[in-house]
Amino acid sequence: MSHHIFYVANTQADNLGDLVINTLLLKELSNRGSLNINVRGCSSNYRGMLDSVNSSKTEKSYPLYVLSMLFLSLKGEKVSFYLKPGHFYGNDGGAVKKTITLFCYILMKFSGVKISRLGASLGPYRPISGKIERLQSLFFKAYTAREYISISYAKKIGIKNLEYCPDMAFLLDKDKSPASHHEGPVIISFREKTLSDDTENLELAPTLIAAASHFKGKPMLAVSQVTSDAPHNQALADKIDSNVKHVIFDSLDDGSKIFDTYSKASYVLSNRLHVLLFAASKGAIPIPIIDKDKHIKITGIFDAANLGDLIFDVNSKDDIVKHLIFVEENRTIIEDKLELAFEQQKNKILNFFDK
């Protein structure tokens, strides 16, 4: 019996991280059946990235795409539908759209289509959206979250079948950190808002200036992996030192250039999850500089991978320089922990494909 796998690829076009993790998941799925990707609404460069995935492509509307799955399943074929990884706030499109989606899931479930969502973060949901999400979860074969904070939240709103599945970035091959990495550039990369929803990331400048002073002798490089971050990273770079260069990698990049940049870095300081994990995969040491209580996605994912001691909490009274010294003094141990984390987390992801 053939295994037909369906996937709607459209995602944030300006976020290179989202494009990469979607492509990583699709490459794994392409090894497990006949993959059909709906590229409706995808940008031309994203479609170019998807050309590297062994699959067929379509631009059908969502209702017609669902009918394609139902037709094959009712014919007795094995059919799976995978949802995108990433963060789901539960109110995208509102309650009406979620209700229509719920109806589609019911049809899929009772026609034999297996629905899975791997490597997601959930919430917070509005009350009505939370109730609909709870109903939707009943029709999934695999309903997962990538950190235990989302799992705890899901339980609070009555979702009982949630399992842990790591972020798709852990599917990246983990490079060993050569000695040259120890003297490579220090990368900084921060999203627009840092300490709270209304605090500009320039509040981080004193912390990063102290970090730059500690890392004197190493070049420092500002990197923007998300287009909208660029003005703020440029402002940070200017605050730290006029000699700090700023490189922008937008969604027109296929990922190769940014991974090449990360492969030369010694450390990366960021509050962007996929900046941290992408750089770590290339041998850099990731140091999240975050508000642990607000950046629960990074807190939860790093804690779940046993990497929580790398986090510097901006709301703590700790000294950033002392934290950096701790990381440097324990670099060999940290490199081993990162290698183990990528191996273990990748295996946990792959286990879901074999269920």
Side-chain angles (χ1 to χ4, degrees), residues 110-353:
F110 289 104
S111 69
V113 177
K114 307 299 183 184
I115 309 170
S116 297
R117 173 189 283 161
L118 303 184
S121 291
L122 308 173
Y125 295 157
R126 294 172 182 171
I128 185 64
S129 292
K131 291 176 182 178
I132 298 172
E133 186 72 26
R134 185 173 68 242
L135 289 173
Q136 286 184 2
S137 71
L138 300 175
F139 302 99
F140 279 69
K141 174 191 174 187
Y143 188 90
T144 76
R146 57 187 173 178
E147 26 77 20
Y148 293 108
I149 295 170
S150 285
I151 293 176
S152 176
Y153 173 77
K155 288 179 179 178
K156 285 182 181 179
I157 64 172
I159 296 174
K160 298 179 180 179
N161 61 327
L162 198 66
E163 299 178 84
Y164 171 67
C165 178
D167 186 88
M168 294 299 114
F170 286 107
L171 288 173
L172 289 164
D173 292 331
K174 176 69 175 72
D175 292 351
K176 292 186 180 293
S177 179
S180 60
H181 273 208
H182 298 204
E183 302 305 322
V186 176
I187 287 177
I188 61 167
S189 183
F190 288 86
R191 65 169 69 238
E192 175 181 354
K193 307 294 184 181
T194 298
L195 303 182
S196 69
D197 290 339
D198 57 0
T199 302
E200 295 293 339
N201 70 352
L202 289 181
E203 294 291 326
L204 270 179
T207 299
L208 296 179
I209 289 170
S213 178
H214 173 72
F215 284 127
K216 61 185 176 184
K218 293 180 188 288
M220 185 164 275
L221 177 68
V223 168
S224 292
Q225 188 172 286
V226 179
T227 308
S228 60
D229 291 347
H232 309 281
N233 281 318
Q234 183 62 61
L236 270 178
D238 293 341
K239 282 277 188 181
I240 295 166
D241 190 317
S242 60
N243 293 320
V244 175
K245 293 182 179 179
H246 177 212
V247 183
I248 303 170
F249 295 97
D250 59 23
S251 56
L252 296 176
D253 174 30
D254 63 3
S256 59
K257 293 179 182 177
I258 197 166
F259 281 104
D260 182 62
T261 298
Y262 291 150
S263 72
K264 298 178 177 68
S266 54
Y267 300 91
V268 58
L269 284 54
S270 183
N271 64 355
R272 280 273 181 199
L273 173 67
H274 290 131
V275 169
L276 294 160
L277 294 183
F278 290 1
S281 76
K282 304 306 293 185
I285 302 296
I287 303 176
I289 298 183
I290 60 172
D291 179 334
K292 289 185 70 172
D293 293 332
K294 294 184 183 297
H295 286 77
I296 58 175
K297 178 170 61 178
I298 292 177
T299 301
I301 289 171
F302 270 66
D303 282 346
N306 195 30
L307 300 171
D309 55 351
L310 291 172
I311 296 173
F312 179 78
D313 187 358
V314 295
N315 280 338
S316 71
K317 295 181 180 179
D318 295 339
D319 182 348
I320 182 64
V321 173
K322 288 184 178 178
H323 184 71
L324 297 176
I325 291 171
F326 162 79
V327 172
E328 287 177 308
E329 290 179 343
N330 292 277
R331 178 160 188 139
T332 300
I333 295 171
I334 290 168
E335 287 174 347
D336 290 342
K337 286 178 68 175
L338 283 165
E339 205 156 319
L340 182 62
F342 270 81
E343 179 184 351
Q344 291 179 336
Q345 301 298 84
K346 181 175 184 176
N347 287 337
K348 287 176 182 178
I349 297 170
L350 297 180
N351 284 341
F352 278 94
F353 297 125

